[in-house]
Amino acid sequence: MEGKLTFKNYVGYTMCDFGNNLAFCVMSSYLSIYCSDIIGMSGAAITAIMVIARVWDAINDPMMGFLAQRKKPGKGGKYRPFILIGGYPLAISAVLVFVKLTDNLTVNTIWVAFAYILYGMLYTVLLVPYGSLASVMTTRDNERSILSMCRAVGGGAGNLPSLLFPILVMTAGESGNQMDADKLLIGMIIIAVAMMALYTMAYKFTTERVIVEEKPQKIRVAATVKGLLKSRAFVTMSLIGCLLIAVQMYTSTVNLYLFKDYFQRSAMNTVYMVISYAPMVVMIPFANILIKKFGKKEISVVSLGISVIASFLTFILHLGYDGIWPFIVLAFFINAGVGFLTLEVWSMAADIIDHQEWVTGKREEAANYAIFTFMRKIGQAIAALAPWFVSLAGYDSSIVGSGISQGDAVLSGMYNVATLIPFIMFLIMFILALLYPLNKKTTEQMHRELEETRAKYKIGVV
């Protein structure tokens, strides 16, 4: 009989994504401003580097998934060792991204590109096995849901730099409203040390309980991908996951410019972040209760509808410079809507992996998860367009710190790109959620039949 997960196991799983997001949130939000305001790169150059990094991920994400799938379990398990193998180098690479070598633009651009792509590769080495780890920690749906929430909590806690950096790092210039590169680098060193400590805890506190195969399966890459593309559940949820991270990263990037230049109050970004995460924190105790009563798909459709309405209102109201509080209040409702999906996206990712096993009879969690993760990397590539959109609005990094305003037309354009594009992404996510086939009844039937199949073939649990 499968043993229940312990509190220690949940803490360990939480710690890993806590460590992941400490650096990830800085990359998502502050790399663009670092490159434009400190290095002097153009918006097009910044976007090019980020997109190239995601294209490379298109190659190494699936590769890592298939390699992890083929790995034989060792003393530490099949997936757990990657927490340390990928985690420690990842922490170091996060610091290297923000090391300014010289005052030469070309040299610094090449260095940022190299360090950022290295960071992305190491993130993949850790992230794909870590995501697959949940499926071998437990087969119980309620425990997987809790693990998904643990990951969301860890990821949310990992956004701590987003709360502190506006008041600790954005303090340079006459107005105290510009980035301080020295403080940013010190902050990244502290983050790297914290990441290593968190990965050590994650490795020690987690355990692999489920043996999903008695004999190594021969994985055929083309057949696996073809099967996934035929699955409406996998395709729709992968696209939702793609757009979810795209809208989160895009918003965090453009909002830095918005608070700095449009509202001219960088420190208020901390208030914005606190209020944005508050709804998700409130939902945590009630998520499993709501899932049991209504189902994941059903709640996602309603909650995304709220985000669509709130984001549309944010765009059409076109709040003036003094409209910072209405902007933040609407952000509360946007995030109240998308909060459930943020908490449950990893549980739903496990569901679509189970769905493939249910349909095909084969379980290839690492390979399937790698493709799901790749779609999220596509989302990151979409978010990487943020600095390009800001530059299209007319943003001029050469006047940063001079006391000269970007100009009313530019500021208006910046507001438009910061609010219209998230609305479009929320709307598409809402439509995809309607098309997602795993409603409450189907999901319960799937898990019930999988339990019977696993018992028949004696898939091991400890």
Side-chain angles (χ1 to χ4, degrees):
M1 183 177 179
E2 181 180 352
K4 292 184 178 180
L5 293 181
T6 66
F7 177 74
K8 184 178 178 181
N9 296 148
Y10 290 126
V11 170
Y13 198 73
T14 303
M15 291 302 100
C16 190
D17 222 33
F18 184 8
N20 292 343
N21 267 38
L22 282 174
F24 184 78
C25 77
V26 178
M27 298 294 174
S28 303
S29 302
Y30 289 86
L31 180 60
S32 176
I33 285 188
Y34 171 77
C35 289
S36 64
D37 293 6
I38 304 301
I39 302 298
M41 294 165 56
S42 67
I46 299 166
T47 295
I49 289 174
M50 293 181 176
V51 171
I52 289 170
R54 299 293 78 79
V55 170
W56 175 237
D57 283 340
I59 300 171
N60 65 49
D61 266 33
M63 283 175 56
M64 187 63 218
F66 287 108
L67 287 172
Q69 185 68 44
R70 289 171 175 161
K71 180 182 178 294
K72 293 181 180 180
K75 185 178 179 180
K78 186 172 184 176
Y79 302 121
R80 283 176 64 236
F82 288 100
I83 294 175
L84 302 183
I85 293 170
Y88 290 170
L90 177 68
I92 296 170
S93 69
V95 176
L96 296 179
V97 173
F98 296 99
V99 174
K100 184 179 179 182
L101 297 181
T102 70
D103 291 327
N104 185 282
L105 174 60
T106 302
V107 172
N108 286 323
T109 300
I110 294 172
W111 174 254
V112 168
F114 165 77
Y116 182 63
I117 290 172
L118 175 64
Y119 166 84
M121 292 173 62
L122 292 169
Y123 192 72
T124 295
V125 171
L126 169 60
L127 191 67
V128 172
Y130 168 63
S132 303
L133 178 62
S135 64
V136 294
M137 287 179 68
T138 179
T139 60
R140 294 188 176 95
D141 190 45
N142 67 315
E143 290 186 335
R144 285 186 175 179
S145 181
I146 294 172
L147 285 175
S148 180
M149 285 188 282
C150 285
R151 184 166 183 176
V153 169
N159 279 290
L160 183 62
S162 295
L163 303 179
L164 298 179
F165 277 26
I167 55 178
L168 297 179
V169 173
M170 302 295 290
T171 58
E174 291 182 7
S175 62
N177 204 38
Q178 308 302 324
M179 175 175 282
D180 187 316
D182 293 333
K183 290 181 179 179
L184 176 63
L185 181 58
I186 292 170
M188 289 309 299
I189 292 171
I190 294 171
I191 284 172
V193 173
M195 288 169 69
M196 292 182 183
L198 290 166
Y199 292 142
T200 302
M201 290 176 60
Y203 178 78
K204 290 184 176 180
F205 289 1
T206 53
T207 183
E208 297 186 17
R209 299 172 180 270
V210 183
I211 305 169
V212 296
E213 56 193 32
E214 292 181 321
K215 296 180 180 179
Q217 296 181 20
K218 184 176 181 180
I219 300 170
R220 294 178 174 85
V221 177
T224 298
V225 173
K226 185 178 179 181
L228 293 177
L229 292 177
K230 290 181 178 179
S231 169
R232 182 153 63 100
F234 196 94
V235 170
T236 52
M237 182 46 60
S238 294
L239 289 172
I240 289 172
C242 165
L243 290 172
L244 177 63
I245 195 167
V247 74
Q248 290 172 336
M249 290 181 62
Y250 180 90
T251 301
S252 66
T253 297
V254 295
N255 278 354
L256 281 175
Y257 290 97
L258 209 61
F259 279 97
K260 179 173 70 74
D261 295 293
Y262 187 83
F263 294 120
Q264 298 180 11
R265 295 176 69 183
S266 286
M268 285 299 293
N269 200 17
T270 295
V271 178
Y272 173 90
M273 294 297 296
V274 171
I275 290 179
S276 295
Y277 280 102
M280 188 176 73
V281 174
V282 173
M283 285 181 201
I284 291 173
F286 308 104
N288 264 345
I289 298 171
L290 292 172
I291 290 168
K292 287 178 183 178
K293 186 172 180 62
F294 301 107
K296 297 172 190 174
K297 170 189 172 165
E298 291 80 356
I299 300 172
S300 296
V301 169
V302 174
S303 60
L304 282 170
I306 295 171
S307 294
V308 169
I309 294 169
S311 61
F312 180 66
L313 288 174
T314 304
F315 169 64
I316 63 171
L317 291 178
H318 211 300
L319 304 166
Y321 303 141
D322 58 349
I324 193 166
W325 283 110
F327 182 84
I328 289 174
V329 169
L330 284 170
F332 174 87
F333 288 101
I334 291 172
N335 288 280
V338 80
F340 174 81
L341 187 59
T342 303
L343 286 173
E344 290 297 323
V345 65
W346 300 111
S347 176
M348 296 173 86
D351 287 343
I352 59 177
I353 291 172
D354 283 344
H355 182 261
Q356 282 303 99
E357 180 186 0
W358 187 39
V359 172
T360 66
K362 294 181 180 180
R363 184 168 186 85
E364 300 172 340
E365 70 275 339
N368 292 0
Y369 182 82
I371 297 171
F372 180 79
T373 302
F374 163 67
M375 289 304 299
R376 284 176 61 85
K377 293 293 180 70
I378 295 296
Q380 293 178 35
I382 294 171
L385 297 174
W388 180 62
F389 279 123
V390 171
S391 67
L392 285 181
Y395 180 79
D396 185 358
S397 63
S398 67
I399 64 174
V400 171
S402 65
I404 302 174
S405 171
Q406 294 287 341
D408 288 345
V410 173
L411 294 174
S412 178
M414 289 170 65
Y415 185 90
N416 287 335
V417 300
T419 55
L420 175 60
I421 293 176
F423 161 68
I424 293 171
M425 287 194 275
F426 281 125
L427 181 61
I428 296 171
M429 289 166 66
F430 173 74
I431 294 169
L432 289 168
L434 289 172
L435 297 174
Y436 180 63
L438 296 185
N439 56 28
K440 184 175 184 290
K441 182 179 178 180
T442 303
T443 303
E444 288 175 348
Q445 178 188 353
M446 175 183 73
H447 287 147
R448 185 170 59 250
E449 292 182 7
L450 279 175
E451 274 188 35
E452 295 171 357
T453 302
R454 288 164 179 165
K456 179 181 177 181
Y457 289 100
K458 298 180 181 179
I459 291 178
V461 294
V462 293

